[in-house]
Amino acid sequence: MKARLTFDLDDPDDAMAHKRCIHSTGLALVIWELIHNSRKCENIDDMHELITQKCDENGIVIDDLIV
């Protein structure tokens, strides 16, 4: 089975959908890390640091995927 996605990168909505698609694996890895390692965090600052670290490691810039 094959699938082909086509995006019009001149269209802002399509460009955003394209960014989200190409970063989906990185986002999944960040979520996996949070699920399996968040218990190590002792406070909200530790949790924030873990989220920031894992996003950086996976090339995820949340503002680029939301705004």
Side-chain angles (χ1 to χ4, degrees):
M1 178 188 297
K2 292 183 181 185
R4 181 173 291 172
L5 300 176
T6 304
F7 298 96
D8 176 1
L9 298 179
D10 292 325
D11 177 276
D13 291 335
D14 267 11
M16 181 64 71
H18 177 259
K19 283 183 186 179
R20 290 174 178 162
C21 283
I22 63 173
H23 290 292
S24 63
T25 300
L27 285 168
L29 291 169
V30 169
I31 293 168
W32 187 92
E33 287 283 348
L34 293 175
I35 288 170
H36 293 283
N37 293 315
S38 61
R39 292 178 189 215
K40 296 176 185 176
C41 298
E42 296 180 10
N43 56 50
I44 193 69
D45 292 329
D46 290 346
M47 177 64 82
H48 184 266
E49 179 62 29
L50 177 64
I51 293 169
T52 302
Q53 175 189 1
K54 295 307 173 183
C55 285
D56 289 346
E57 287 175 5
N58 289 284
I60 303 299
V61 179
I62 295 297
D63 289 342
D64 289 349
L65 303 175
I66 301 298
V67 179

